[in-house]
Amino acid sequence: MHMRVVIAGSSGLIGTALVSSLRGDGHDVVRLVRRSSAGPDESRWDPQKDRIDTGILADADAVVNLCGVGVGDKRWTGAYKQLIRDSRIAATDVLAEGVAEAGVPVFVNASAVGYYGDTGDRVVDETSPSGTGFLADTCRDWEAATAPADTSKVRTVLLRSGIVLSPHGGLLGRLKTLYSFGLGGRLGNGRQYLSWISLEDEVDAIKFVLTRDDVAGPVNVTGPAPVTNAQFNGAVARTLHRPAPWIVPGFALSALVGEFAQEGILAGQRAIPTVLENAGFRFRHNTIGEALDAALVR
């Protein structure tokens, strides 16, 4: 089925790959940009000023919102924490209202497994409650901002994504050089869980939910086998054939990156993709070893 998809946040790691994949499949993609549009496949918008041309949404089959500054890109000052929230919630507010007004059939909105807070070794799926902390609160409010679309009978999907593995950015983009020089290692006690997904599976999952009328609400976009930080460290070291003997204690991480260390590094989620698996989605990469091999070797 041919689709016309409008995408916000299309210049990031996931958005760039998604645009390329959808266009490769023959679909029309319109990118929402915050500068002057450079062609008919772009439309300018300003979510901070509540500005969007709803006409661009009128004949869309779906809208995908991937907006949000990186939670670990800068130290968590009060101003940056506000930016983390605003860059997600304001954009979602504007798009949800626009989608409802234009009657777009499908709204796919980013979220994250941070919704569950620190789960320890407890397995969580889409039926699990929200956790506590800044990230959990942000994800909960982020998802709540989709309400105008959801209450207008728009099929609304909430992508609770894990850590996306790609050599071109994200976590692996930062760690690859350190591990290559033998500077990799366990963070804290290493028992915190990491819910990962390969970039290919992330894009495939988004395309999957775009066309599945039976999928709505929260969807954990994670690989089927989350790992601990210690297991992840060992897997990266094996994939790159480099030693990773170091241990970075929690207090050192807190001194280095501040508050983000407690929620974004020393805490974790053991989230599993129950909704995707029950709907029949097939992962390309079922284990951390397969995902790392695809990202770092192939």
Side-chain angles (χ1 to χ4, degrees):
M1 180 185 73
H2 178 269
M3 293 185 295
R4 184 174 183 273
V5 184
V6 176
I7 302 179
S10 61
S11 61
L13 179 69
I14 299 169
T16 300
L18 179 63
V19 169
S20 177
S21 184
L22 285 170
R23 286 177 173 164
D25 290 342
H27 301 297
D28 293 330
V29 176
V30 177
R31 301 172 59 238
L32 295 179
V33 297
R34 305 189 193 208
R35 49 169 172 74
S36 297
S37 59
D41 63 341
E42 293 184 351
S43 179
R44 187 175 185 179
W45 76 316
D46 188 345
Q48 300 301 325
K49 295 182 179 179
D50 199 22
R51 292 177 183 170
I52 187 171
D53 178 7
T54 53
I56 205 71
L57 307 180
D59 58 350
D61 297 296
V63 171
V64 179
N65 177 26
L66 302 172
C67 290
V69 300
V71 295
D73 288 356
K74 294 183 179 179
R75 196 176 185 90
W76 279 10
T77 61
Y80 195 68
K81 288 170 72 173
Q82 191 62 52
L83 182 60
I84 289 171
R85 288 182 55 84
D86 290 347
S87 65
R88 288 160 170 77
I89 297 168
T92 301
D93 276 333
V94 173
L95 285 173
E97 293 281 0
V99 162
E101 180 181 336
V104 179
V106 183
F107 183 35
V108 177
N109 201 76
S111 183
V113 293
Y115 173 92
Y116 303 108
D118 184 7
T119 68
D121 62 0
R122 174 172 53 91
V123 175
V124 292
D125 66 10
E126 293 85 352
T127 65
S128 301
S130 177
T132 59
F134 170 72
L135 292 178
D137 291 346
T138 298
C139 287
R140 189 165 51 249
D141 294 342
W142 191 7
E143 294 184 4
T146 65
D150 193 36
T151 56
S152 297
K153 307 303 181 185
V154 176
R155 182 169 67 87
T156 302
V157 180
L158 307 171
L159 303 171
R160 290 179 183 165
S161 294
I163 300 295
V164 178
L165 301 180
S166 165
H168 306 300
L171 179 66
L172 277 188
R174 297 176 183 142
L175 293 181
K176 184 170 56 174
T177 301
L178 287 175
Y179 276 86
S180 295
F181 283 99
L183 297 176
R186 191 187 79 202
L187 303 179
N189 61 29
R191 293 194 294 270
Q192 67 274 33
Y193 268 84
L194 184 147
S195 293
W196 56 271
I197 187 167
S198 69
L199 179 59
E200 295 91 341
D201 279 331
E202 175 83 16
V203 170
D204 284 351
I206 296 173
K207 293 182 351 182
F208 181 82
V209 301
L210 281 173
T211 59
R212 287 295 300 247
D213 292 341
D214 58 335
V215 175
V219 176
N220 287 346
V221 188
T222 61
V227 295
T228 65
N229 175 264
Q231 291 168 331
F232 175 77
N233 176 56
V236 176
R238 286 191 298 274
T239 301
L240 293 176
H241 304 289
R242 301 296 296 166
W246 308 104
I247 298 174
V248 184
F251 71 84
L253 287 167
S254 294
L256 183 64
V257 301
E259 185 183 349
F260 172 70
Q262 294 302 317
E263 289 197 42
I265 300 176
L266 299 173
Q269 298 78 34
R270 193 178 183 180
I272 57 173
T274 300
V275 170
L276 280 177
E277 291 187 316
N278 287 347
F281 180 75
R282 293 183 178 273
F283 288 89
R284 299 192 200 191
H285 309 117
N286 289 281
T287 67
I288 188 64
E290 292 172 355
L292 291 173
D293 184 62
L296 297 176
V297 178
R298 297 181 204 167

